[in-house]
mmCIF file with all atom_site columns, all heavy atoms in Angstrom:
data_model
loop_
_atom_site.group_PDB
_atom_site.id
_atom_site.type_symbol
_atom_site.label_atom_id
_atom_site.label_alt_id
_atom_site.label_comp_id
_atom_site.label_asym_id
_atom_site.label_entity_id
_atom_site.label_seq_id
_atom_site.pdbx_PDB_ins_code
_atom_site.Cartn_x
_atom_site.Cartn_y
_atom_site.Cartn_z
_atom_site.occupancy
_atom_site.B_iso_or_equiv
_atom_site.pdbx_formal_charge
_atom_site.auth_seq_id
_atom_site.auth_comp_id
_atom_site.auth_asym_id
_atom_site.auth_atom_id
_atom_site.pdbx_PDB_model_num
ATOM 1   N N   . HIS L 1 1  ? 4.953   9.388   1.048  1.00 0.00 ? 1  HIS L N   1
ATOM 2   C CA  . HIS L 1 1  ? 3.912   9.886   1.944  1.00 0.00 ? 1  HIS L CA  1
ATOM 3   C C   . HIS L 1 1  ? 2.770   10.400  1.094  1.00 0.00 ? 1  HIS L C   1
ATOM 4   O O   . HIS L 1 1  ? 2.973   11.201  0.185  1.00 0.00 ? 1  HIS L O   1
ATOM 5   C CB  . HIS L 1 1  ? 4.466   10.998  2.829  1.00 0.00 ? 1  HIS L CB  1
ATOM 6   C CG  . HIS L 1 1  ? 3.435   11.567  3.746  1.00 0.00 ? 1  HIS L CG  1
ATOM 7   N ND1 . HIS L 1 1  ? 3.051   10.930  4.893  1.00 0.00 ? 1  HIS L ND1 1
ATOM 8   C CD2 . HIS L 1 1  ? 2.707   12.697  3.671  1.00 0.00 ? 1  HIS L CD2 1
ATOM 9   C CE1 . HIS L 1 1  ? 2.130   11.652  5.501  1.00 0.00 ? 1  HIS L CE1 1
ATOM 10  N NE2 . HIS L 1 1  ? 1.905   12.730  4.777  1.00 0.00 ? 1  HIS L NE2 1
ATOM 11  N N   . ILE L 1 2  ? 1.565   9.942   1.390  1.00 0.00 ? 2  ILE L N   1
ATOM 12  C CA  . ILE L 1 2  ? 0.379   10.390  0.658  1.00 0.00 ? 2  ILE L CA  1
ATOM 13  C C   . ILE L 1 2  ? -0.601  10.954  1.669  1.00 0.00 ? 2  ILE L C   1
ATOM 14  O O   . ILE L 1 2  ? -0.917  10.300  2.667  1.00 0.00 ? 2  ILE L O   1
ATOM 15  C CB  . ILE L 1 2  ? -0.278  9.239   -0.119 1.00 0.00 ? 2  ILE L CB  1
ATOM 16  C CG1 . ILE L 1 2  ? 0.696   8.716   -1.156 1.00 0.00 ? 2  ILE L CG1 1
ATOM 17  C CG2 . ILE L 1 2  ? -1.579  9.681   -0.751 1.00 0.00 ? 2  ILE L CG2 1
ATOM 18  C CD1 . ILE L 1 2  ? 0.215   7.494   -1.879 1.00 0.00 ? 2  ILE L CD1 1
ATOM 19  N N   . LYS L 1 3  ? -1.080  12.159  1.431  1.00 0.00 ? 3  LYS L N   1
ATOM 20  C CA  . LYS L 1 3  ? -2.050  12.772  2.321  1.00 0.00 ? 3  LYS L CA  1
ATOM 21  C C   . LYS L 1 3  ? -3.437  12.566  1.734  1.00 0.00 ? 3  LYS L C   1
ATOM 22  O O   . LYS L 1 3  ? -3.707  12.963  0.602  1.00 0.00 ? 3  LYS L O   1
ATOM 23  C CB  . LYS L 1 3  ? -1.754  14.254  2.488  1.00 0.00 ? 3  LYS L CB  1
ATOM 24  C CG  . LYS L 1 3  ? -2.666  14.928  3.475  1.00 0.00 ? 3  LYS L CG  1
ATOM 25  C CD  . LYS L 1 3  ? -2.235  16.344  3.740  1.00 0.00 ? 3  LYS L CD  1
ATOM 26  C CE  . LYS L 1 3  ? -3.150  16.952  4.783  1.00 0.00 ? 3  LYS L CE  1
ATOM 27  N NZ  . LYS L 1 3  ? -2.748  18.284  5.153  1.00 0.00 ? 3  LYS L NZ  1
ATOM 28  N N   . LEU L 1 4  ? -4.309  11.945  2.500  1.00 0.00 ? 4  LEU L N   1
ATOM 29  C CA  . LEU L 1 4  ? -5.677  11.709  2.069  1.00 0.00 ? 4  LEU L CA  1
ATOM 30  C C   . LEU L 1 4  ? -6.590  12.689  2.793  1.00 0.00 ? 4  LEU L C   1
ATOM 31  O O   . LEU L 1 4  ? -6.368  13.024  3.947  1.00 0.00 ? 4  LEU L O   1
ATOM 32  C CB  . LEU L 1 4  ? -6.097  10.277  2.396  1.00 0.00 ? 4  LEU L CB  1
ATOM 33  C CG  . LEU L 1 4  ? -5.260  9.176   1.749  1.00 0.00 ? 4  LEU L CG  1
ATOM 34  C CD1 . LEU L 1 4  ? -5.639  7.824   2.317  1.00 0.00 ? 4  LEU L CD1 1
ATOM 35  C CD2 . LEU L 1 4  ? -5.425  9.182   0.249  1.00 0.00 ? 4  LEU L CD2 1
ATOM 36  N N   . SER L 1 5  ? -7.638  13.113  2.117  1.00 0.00 ? 5  SER L N   1
ATOM 37  C CA  . SER L 1 5  ? -8.588  14.022  2.757  1.00 0.00 ? 5  SER L CA  1
ATOM 38  C C   . SER L 1 5  ? -9.988  13.419  2.683  1.00 0.00 ? 5  SER L C   1
ATOM 39  O O   . SER L 1 5  ? -10.217 12.441  1.990  1.00 0.00 ? 5  SER L O   1
ATOM 40  C CB  . SER L 1 5  ? -8.563  15.379  2.065  1.00 0.00 ? 5  SER L CB  1
ATOM 41  O OG  . SER L 1 5  ? -8.937  15.238  0.714  1.00 0.00 ? 5  SER L OG  1
ATOM 42  N N   . GLY L 1 6  ? -10.903 13.993  3.404  1.00 0.00 ? 6  GLY L N   1
ATOM 43  C CA  . GLY L 1 6  ? -12.279 13.503  3.396  1.00 0.00 ? 6  GLY L CA  1
ATOM 44  C C   . GLY L 1 6  ? -12.381 12.129  4.025  1.00 0.00 ? 6  GLY L C   1
ATOM 45  O O   . GLY L 1 6  ? -11.697 11.802  4.986  1.00 0.00 ? 6  GLY L O   1
ATOM 46  N N   . ARG L 1 7  ? -13.252 11.294  3.482  1.00 0.00 ? 7  ARG L N   1
ATOM 47  C CA  . ARG L 1 7  ? -13.460 9.939   4.012  1.00 0.00 ? 7  ARG L CA  1
ATOM 48  C C   . ARG L 1 7  ? -12.195 9.098   3.930  1.00 0.00 ? 7  ARG L C   1
ATOM 49  O O   . ARG L 1 7  ? -11.969 8.234   4.754  1.00 0.00 ? 7  ARG L O   1
ATOM 50  C CB  . ARG L 1 7  ? -14.578 9.236   3.247  1.00 0.00 ? 7  ARG L CB  1
ATOM 51  C CG  . ARG L 1 7  ? -15.928 9.729   3.606  1.00 0.00 ? 7  ARG L CG  1
ATOM 52  C CD  . ARG L 1 7  ? -17.056 8.972   2.972  1.00 0.00 ? 7  ARG L CD  1
ATOM 53  N NE  . ARG L 1 7  ? -16.655 7.806   2.207  1.00 0.00 ? 7  ARG L NE  1
ATOM 54  C CZ  . ARG L 1 7  ? -17.463 7.046   1.533  1.00 0.00 ? 7  ARG L CZ  1
ATOM 55  N NH1 . ARG L 1 7  ? -18.736 7.311   1.510  1.00 0.00 ? 7  ARG L NH1 1
ATOM 56  N NH2 . ARG L 1 7  ? -17.029 6.008   0.864  1.00 0.00 ? 7  ARG L NH2 1
ATOM 57  N N   . GLY L 1 8  ? -11.364 9.339   2.935  1.00 0.00 ? 8  GLY L N   1
ATOM 58  C CA  . GLY L 1 8  ? -10.145 8.564   2.758  1.00 0.00 ? 8  GLY L CA  1
ATOM 59  C C   . GLY L 1 8  ? -9.164  8.710   3.904  1.00 0.00 ? 8  GLY L C   1
ATOM 60  O O   . GLY L 1 8  ? -8.337  7.842   4.138  1.00 0.00 ? 8  GLY L O   1
ATOM 61  N N   . SER L 1 9  ? -9.237  9.816   4.627  1.00 0.00 ? 9  SER L N   1
ATOM 62  C CA  . SER L 1 9  ? -8.305  10.011  5.727  1.00 0.00 ? 9  SER L CA  1
ATOM 63  C C   . SER L 1 9  ? -8.607  9.093   6.907  1.00 0.00 ? 9  SER L C   1
ATOM 64  O O   . SER L 1 9  ? -7.718  8.740   7.668  1.00 0.00 ? 9  SER L O   1
ATOM 65  C CB  . SER L 1 9  ? -8.316  11.472  6.177  1.00 0.00 ? 9  SER L CB  1
ATOM 66  O OG  . SER L 1 9  ? -9.588  11.817  6.688  1.00 0.00 ? 9  SER L OG  1
ATOM 67  N N   . LYS L 1 10 ? -9.848  8.699   7.081  1.00 0.00 ? 10 LYS L N   1
ATOM 68  C CA  . LYS L 1 10 ? -10.232 7.819   8.180  1.00 0.00 ? 10 LYS L CA  1
ATOM 69  C C   . LYS L 1 10 ? -10.278 6.355   7.761  1.00 0.00 ? 10 LYS L C   1
ATOM 70  O O   . LYS L 1 10 ? -10.174 5.461   8.582  1.00 0.00 ? 10 LYS L O   1
ATOM 71  C CB  . LYS L 1 10 ? -11.582 8.247   8.737  1.00 0.00 ? 10 LYS L CB  1
ATOM 72  C CG  . LYS L 1 10 ? -11.511 9.599   9.405  1.00 0.00 ? 10 LYS L CG  1
ATOM 73  C CD  . LYS L 1 10 ? -12.817 10.014  9.985  1.00 0.00 ? 10 LYS L CD  1
ATOM 74  C CE  . LYS L 1 10 ? -12.624 11.384  10.617 1.00 0.00 ? 10 LYS L CE  1
ATOM 75  N NZ  . LYS L 1 10 ? -13.812 12.126  10.741 1.00 0.00 ? 10 LYS L NZ  1
ATOM 76  N N   . ASN L 1 11 ? -10.474 6.096   6.502  1.00 0.00 ? 11 ASN L N   1
ATOM 77  C CA  . ASN L 1 11 ? -10.576 4.739   5.998  1.00 0.00 ? 11 ASN L CA  1
ATOM 78  C C   . ASN L 1 11 ? -9.793  4.632   4.682  1.00 0.00 ? 11 ASN L C   1
ATOM 79  O O   . ASN L 1 11 ? -10.385 4.565   3.616  1.00 0.00 ? 11 ASN L O   1
ATOM 80  C CB  . ASN L 1 11 ? -12.053 4.368   5.794  1.00 0.00 ? 11 ASN L CB  1
ATOM 81  C CG  . ASN L 1 11 ? -12.229 2.903   5.540  1.00 0.00 ? 11 ASN L CG  1
ATOM 82  O OD1 . ASN L 1 11 ? -11.341 2.106   5.794  1.00 0.00 ? 11 ASN L OD1 1
ATOM 83  N ND2 . ASN L 1 11 ? -13.381 2.538   5.016  1.00 0.00 ? 11 ASN L ND2 1
ATOM 84  N N   . PRO L 1 12 ? -8.459  4.640   4.754  1.00 0.00 ? 12 PRO L N   1
ATOM 85  C CA  . PRO L 1 12 ? -7.660  4.624   3.521  1.00 0.00 ? 12 PRO L CA  1
ATOM 86  C C   . PRO L 1 12 ? -7.808  3.291   2.778  1.00 0.00 ? 12 PRO L C   1
ATOM 87  O O   . PRO L 1 12 ? -8.164  2.283   3.380  1.00 0.00 ? 12 PRO L O   1
ATOM 88  C CB  . PRO L 1 12 ? -6.232  4.817   4.025  1.00 0.00 ? 12 PRO L CB  1
ATOM 89  C CG  . PRO L 1 12 ? -6.256  4.299   5.417  1.00 0.00 ? 12 PRO L CG  1
ATOM 90  C CD  . PRO L 1 12 ? -7.634  4.584   5.947  1.00 0.00 ? 12 PRO L CD  1
ATOM 91  N N   . PRO L 1 13 ? -7.521  3.286   1.465  1.00 0.00 ? 13 PRO L N   1
ATOM 92  C CA  . PRO L 1 13 ? -7.594  2.044   0.703  1.00 0.00 ? 13 PRO L CA  1
ATOM 93  C C   . PRO L 1 13 ? -6.582  1.025   1.224  1.00 0.00 ? 13 PRO L C   1
ATOM 94  O O   . PRO L 1 13 ? -5.498  1.386   1.679  1.00 0.00 ? 13 PRO L O   1
ATOM 95  C CB  . PRO L 1 13 ? -7.250  2.449   -0.727 1.00 0.00 ? 13 PRO L CB  1
ATOM 96  C CG  . PRO L 1 13 ? -7.034  3.909   -0.722 1.00 0.00 ? 13 PRO L CG  1
ATOM 97  C CD  . PRO L 1 13 ? -7.118  4.411   0.665  1.00 0.00 ? 13 PRO L CD  1
ATOM 98  N N   . ALA L 1 14 ? -6.952  -0.232  1.153  1.00 0.00 ? 14 ALA L N   1
ATOM 99  C CA  . ALA L 1 14 ? -6.052  -1.309  1.578  1.00 0.00 ? 14 ALA L CA  1
ATOM 100 C C   . ALA L 1 14 ? -4.884  -1.418  0.607  1.00 0.00 ? 14 ALA L C   1
ATOM 101 O O   . ALA L 1 14 ? -5.022  -1.084  -0.575 1.00 0.00 ? 14 ALA L O   1
ATOM 102 C CB  . ALA L 1 14 ? -6.812  -2.623  1.623  1.00 0.00 ? 14 ALA L CB  1
ATOM 103 N N   . PRO L 1 15 ? -3.733  -1.887  1.059  1.00 0.00 ? 15 PRO L N   1
ATOM 104 C CA  . PRO L 1 15 ? -2.604  -2.072  0.141  1.00 0.00 ? 15 PRO L CA  1
ATOM 105 C C   . PRO L 1 15 ? -2.819  -3.280  -0.773 1.00 0.00 ? 15 PRO L C   1
ATOM 106 O O   . PRO L 1 15 ? -3.505  -4.231  -0.406 1.00 0.00 ? 15 PRO L O   1
ATOM 107 C CB  . PRO L 1 15 ? -1.418  -2.293  1.081  1.00 0.00 ? 15 PRO L CB  1
ATOM 108 C CG  . PRO L 1 15 ? -2.018  -2.807  2.333  1.00 0.00 ? 15 PRO L CG  1
ATOM 109 C CD  . PRO L 1 15 ? -3.383  -2.188  2.435  1.00 0.00 ? 15 PRO L CD  1
ATOM 110 N N   . CYS L 1 16 ? -2.237  -3.229  -1.943 1.00 0.00 ? 16 CYS L N   1
ATOM 111 C CA  . CYS L 1 16 ? -2.303  -4.329  -2.900 1.00 0.00 ? 16 CYS L CA  1
ATOM 112 C C   . CYS L 1 16 ? -1.678  -5.579  -2.282 1.00 0.00 ? 16 CYS L C   1
ATOM 113 O O   . CYS L 1 16 ? -0.621  -5.515  -1.658 1.00 0.00 ? 16 CYS L O   1
ATOM 114 C CB  . CYS L 1 16 ? -1.557  -3.947  -4.176 1.00 0.00 ? 16 CYS L CB  1
ATOM 115 S SG  . CYS L 1 16 ? -1.501  -5.238  -5.430 1.00 0.00 ? 16 CYS L SG  1
ATOM 116 N N   . VAL L 1 17 ? -2.330  -6.728  -2.461 1.00 0.00 ? 17 VAL L N   1
ATOM 117 C CA  . VAL L 1 17 ? -1.838  -7.979  -1.873 1.00 0.00 ? 17 VAL L CA  1
ATOM 118 C C   . VAL L 1 17 ? -1.092  -8.857  -2.881 1.00 0.00 ? 17 VAL L C   1
ATOM 119 O O   . VAL L 1 17 ? -0.630  -9.938  -2.532 1.00 0.00 ? 17 VAL L O   1
ATOM 120 C CB  . VAL L 1 17 ? -2.978  -8.799  -1.227 1.00 0.00 ? 17 VAL L CB  1
ATOM 121 C CG1 . VAL L 1 17 ? -3.607  -8.028  -0.087 1.00 0.00 ? 17 VAL L CG1 1
ATOM 122 C CG2 . VAL L 1 17 ? -4.011  -9.205  -2.257 1.00 0.00 ? 17 VAL L CG2 1
ATOM 123 N N   . ALA L 1 18 ? -0.973  -8.403  -4.129 1.00 0.00 ? 18 ALA L N   1
ATOM 124 C CA  . ALA L 1 18 ? -0.278  -9.204  -5.142 1.00 0.00 ? 18 ALA L CA  1
ATOM 125 C C   . ALA L 1 18 ? 1.196   -9.360  -4.761 1.00 0.00 ? 18 ALA L C   1
ATOM 126 O O   . ALA L 1 18 ? 1.784   -8.506  -4.107 1.00 0.00 ? 18 ALA L O   1
ATOM 127 C CB  . ALA L 1 18 ? -0.407  -8.551  -6.510 1.00 0.00 ? 18 ALA L CB  1
ATOM 128 N N   . ARG L 1 19 ? 1.786   -10.467 -5.171 1.00 0.00 ? 19 ARG L N   1
ATOM 129 C CA  . ARG L 1 19 ? 3.207   -10.720 -4.916 1.00 0.00 ? 19 ARG L CA  1
ATOM 130 C C   . ARG L 1 19 ? 4.021   -10.093 -6.036 1.00 0.00 ? 19 ARG L C   1
ATOM 131 O O   . ARG L 1 19 ? 3.619   -10.109 -7.193 1.00 0.00 ? 19 ARG L O   1
ATOM 132 C CB  . ARG L 1 19 ? 3.489   -12.221 -4.853 1.00 0.00 ? 19 ARG L CB  1
ATOM 133 C CG  . ARG L 1 19 ? 2.642   -13.000 -3.857 1.00 0.00 ? 19 ARG L CG  1
ATOM 134 C CD  . ARG L 1 19 ? 2.773   -12.535 -2.446 1.00 0.00 ? 19 ARG L CD  1
ATOM 135 N NE  . ARG L 1 19 ? 4.101   -12.785 -1.914 1.00 0.00 ? 19 ARG L NE  1
ATOM 136 C CZ  . ARG L 1 19 ? 4.458   -12.516 -0.674 1.00 0.00 ? 19 ARG L CZ  1
ATOM 137 N NH1 . ARG L 1 19 ? 3.604   -12.004 0.169  1.00 0.00 ? 19 ARG L NH1 1
ATOM 138 N NH2 . ARG L 1 19 ? 5.683   -12.748 -0.257 1.00 0.00 ? 19 ARG L NH2 1
ATOM 139 N N   . ALA L 1 20 ? 5.171   -9.525  -5.690 1.00 0.00 ? 20 ALA L N   1
ATOM 140 C CA  . ALA L 1 20 ? 6.046   -8.890  -6.676 1.00 0.00 ? 20 ALA L CA  1
ATOM 141 C C   . ALA L 1 20 ? 7.493   -9.077  -6.246 1.00 0.00 ? 20 ALA L C   1
ATOM 142 O O   . ALA L 1 20 ? 7.784   -9.201  -5.058 1.00 0.00 ? 20 ALA L O   1
ATOM 143 C CB  . ALA L 1 20 ? 5.719   -7.411  -6.789 1.00 0.00 ? 20 ALA L CB  1
ATOM 144 N N   . TRP L 1 21 ? 8.399   -9.097  -7.222 1.00 0.00 ? 21 TRP L N   1
ATOM 145 C CA  . TRP L 1 21 ? 9.834   -9.154  -6.918 1.00 0.00 ? 21 TRP L CA  1
ATOM 146 C C   . TRP L 1 21 ? 10.290  -7.743  -6.641 1.00 0.00 ? 21 TRP L C   1
ATOM 147 O O   . TRP L 1 21 ? 10.249  -6.880  -7.511 1.00 0.00 ? 21 TRP L O   1
ATOM 148 C CB  . TRP L 1 21 ? 10.608  -9.763  -8.081 1.00 0.00 ? 21 TRP L CB  1
ATOM 149 C CG  . TRP L 1 21 ? 10.454  -11.241 -8.137 1.00 0.00 ? 21 TRP L CG  1
ATOM 150 C CD1 . TRP L 1 21 ? 9.626   -11.946 -8.950 1.00 0.00 ? 21 TRP L CD1 1
ATOM 151 C CD2 . TRP L 1 21 ? 11.136  -12.195 -7.324 1.00 0.00 ? 21 TRP L CD2 1
ATOM 152 N NE1 . TRP L 1 21 ? 9.742   -13.279 -8.681 1.00 0.00 ? 21 TRP L NE1 1
ATOM 153 C CE2 . TRP L 1 21 ? 10.661  -13.471 -7.694 1.00 0.00 ? 21 TRP L CE2 1
ATOM 154 C CE3 . TRP L 1 21 ? 12.090  -12.105 -6.315 1.00 0.00 ? 21 TRP L CE3 1
ATOM 155 C CZ2 . TRP L 1 21 ? 11.115  -14.635 -7.101 1.00 0.00 ? 21 TRP L CZ2 1
ATOM 156 C CZ3 . TRP L 1 21 ? 12.534  -13.274 -5.716 1.00 0.00 ? 21 TRP L CZ3 1
ATOM 157 C CH2 . TRP L 1 21 ? 12.048  -14.522 -6.115 1.00 0.00 ? 21 TRP L CH2 1
ATOM 158 N N   . ILE L 1 22 ? 10.712  -7.480  -5.405 1.00 0.00 ? 22 ILE L N   1
ATOM 159 C CA  . ILE L 1 22 ? 11.188  -6.165  -4.990 1.00 0.00 ? 22 ILE L CA  1
ATOM 160 C C   . ILE L 1 22 ? 12.598  -6.337  -4.444 1.00 0.00 ? 22 ILE L C   1
ATOM 161 O O   . ILE L 1 22 ? 12.807  -7.036  -3.454 1.00 0.00 ? 22 ILE L O   1
ATOM 162 C CB  . ILE L 1 22 ? 10.255  -5.552  -3.931 1.00 0.00 ? 22 ILE L CB  1
ATOM 163 C CG1 . ILE L 1 22 ? 8.841   -5.416  -4.510 1.00 0.00 ? 22 ILE L CG1 1
ATOM 164 C CG2 . ILE L 1 22 ? 10.794  -4.197  -3.473 1.00 0.00 ? 22 ILE L CG2 1
ATOM 165 C CD1 . ILE L 1 22 ? 7.799   -5.019  -3.497 1.00 0.00 ? 22 ILE L CD1 1
ATOM 166 N N   . GLU L 1 23 ? 13.551  -5.734  -5.129 1.00 0.00 ? 23 GLU L N   1
ATOM 167 C CA  . GLU L 1 23 ? 14.966  -5.826  -4.758 1.00 0.00 ? 23 GLU L CA  1
ATOM 168 C C   . GLU L 1 23 ? 15.406  -7.277  -4.571 1.00 0.00 ? 23 GLU L C   1
ATOM 169 O O   . GLU L 1 23 ? 16.066  -7.625  -3.599 1.00 0.00 ? 23 GLU L O   1
ATOM 170 C CB  . GLU L 1 23 ? 15.245  -4.992  -3.511 1.00 0.00 ? 23 GLU L CB  1
ATOM 171 C CG  . GLU L 1 23 ? 15.015  -3.510  -3.733 1.00 0.00 ? 23 GLU L CG  1
ATOM 172 C CD  . GLU L 1 23 ? 15.317  -2.663  -2.514 1.00 0.00 ? 23 GLU L CD  1
ATOM 173 O OE1 . GLU L 1 23 ? 15.796  -3.192  -1.491 1.00 0.00 ? 23 GLU L OE1 1
ATOM 174 O OE2 . GLU L 1 23 ? 15.058  -1.451  -2.589 1.00 0.00 ? 23 GLU L OE2 1
ATOM 175 N N   . GLY L 1 24 ? 14.976  -8.141  -5.488 1.00 0.00 ? 24 GLY L N   1
ATOM 176 C CA  . GLY L 1 24 ? 15.387  -9.543  -5.477 1.00 0.00 ? 24 GLY L CA  1
ATOM 177 C C   . GLY L 1 24 ? 14.652  -10.429 -4.493 1.00 0.00 ? 24 GLY L C   1
ATOM 178 O O   . GLY L 1 24 ? 15.015  -11.586 -4.319 1.00 0.00 ? 24 GLY L O   1
ATOM 179 N N   . LYS L 1 25 ? 13.620  -9.910  -3.855 1.00 0.00 ? 25 LYS L N   1
ATOM 180 C CA  . LYS L 1 25 ? 12.860  -10.701 -2.883 1.00 0.00 ? 25 LYS L CA  1
ATOM 181 C C   . LYS L 1 25 ? 11.394  -10.771 -3.294 1.00 0.00 ? 25 LYS L C   1
ATOM 182 O O   . LYS L 1 25 ? 10.848  -9.811  -3.831 1.00 0.00 ? 25 LYS L O   1
ATOM 183 C CB  . LYS L 1 25 ? 12.951  -10.083 -1.488 1.00 0.00 ? 25 LYS L CB  1
ATOM 184 C CG  . LYS L 1 25 ? 14.343  -10.054 -0.917 1.00 0.00 ? 25 LYS L CG  1
ATOM 185 C CD  . LYS L 1 25 ? 14.330  -9.398  0.445  1.00 0.00 ? 25 LYS L CD  1
ATOM 186 C CE  . LYS L 1 25 ? 15.751  -9.289  1.003  1.00 0.00 ? 25 LYS L CE  1
ATOM 187 N NZ  . LYS L 1 25 ? 15.763  -8.583  2.278  1.00 0.00 ? 25 LYS L NZ  1
ATOM 188 N N   . ASP L 1 26 ? 10.755  -11.899 -3.015 1.00 0.00 ? 26 ASP L N   1
ATOM 189 C CA  . ASP L 1 26 ? 9.326   -12.064 -3.269 1.00 0.00 ? 26 ASP L CA  1
ATOM 190 C C   . ASP L 1 26 ? 8.570   -11.395 -2.123 1.00 0.00 ? 26 ASP L C   1
ATOM 191 O O   . ASP L 1 26 ? 8.576   -11.882 -1.002 1.00 0.00 ? 26 ASP L O   1
ATOM 192 C CB  . ASP L 1 26 ? 8.979   -13.554 -3.359 1.00 0.00 ? 26 ASP L CB  1
ATOM 193 C CG  . ASP L 1 26 ? 7.526   -13.787 -3.709 1.00 0.00 ? 26 ASP L CG  1
ATOM 194 O OD1 . ASP L 1 26 ? 6.887   -12.892 -4.282 1.00 0.00 ? 26 ASP L OD1 1
ATOM 195 O OD2 . ASP L 1 26 ? 7.020   -14.884 -3.389 1.00 0.00 ? 26 ASP L OD2 1
ATOM 196 N N   . GLU L 1 27 ? 7.969   -10.247 -2.410 1.00 0.00 ? 27 GLU L N   1
ATOM 197 C CA  . GLU L 1 27 ? 7.290   -9.439  -1.391 1.00 0.00 ? 27 GLU L CA  1
ATOM 198 C C   . GLU L 1 27 ? 5.868   -9.122  -1.836 1.00 0.00 ? 27 GLU L C   1
ATOM 199 O O   . GLU L 1 27 ? 5.525   -9.252  -3.000 1.00 0.00 ? 27 GLU L O   1
ATOM 200 C CB  . GLU L 1 27 ? 8.036   -8.107  -1.199 1.00 0.00 ? 27 GLU L CB  1
ATOM 201 C CG  . GLU L 1 27 ? 9.482   -8.232  -0.857 1.00 0.00 ? 27 GLU L CG  1
ATOM 202 C CD  . GLU L 1 27 ? 9.733   -8.338  0.629  1.00 0.00 ? 27 GLU L CD  1
ATOM 203 O OE1 . GLU L 1 27 ? 8.794   -8.093  1.408  1.00 0.00 ? 27 GLU L OE1 1
ATOM 204 O OE2 . GLU L 1 27 ? 10.867  -8.651  0.998  1.00 0.00 ? 27 GLU L OE2 1
#
């Protein structure tokens, strides 16, 4: 859980779209 304040609370950064192996799955 990340708490953002100011402008970030209304418009948080987008999540990374790169592919990665997470627990044996391509996610």
Side-chain angles (χ1 to χ4, degrees):
H1 179 78
I2 298 174
K3 184 173 182 176
L4 300 171
S5 61
R7 285 186 5 183
S9 64
K10 293 182 180 157
N11 191 16
C16 178
V17 298
R19 305 301 293 183
W21 284 100
I22 301 171
E23 296 181 5
K25 297 179 183 176
D26 184 22
E27 304 272 348

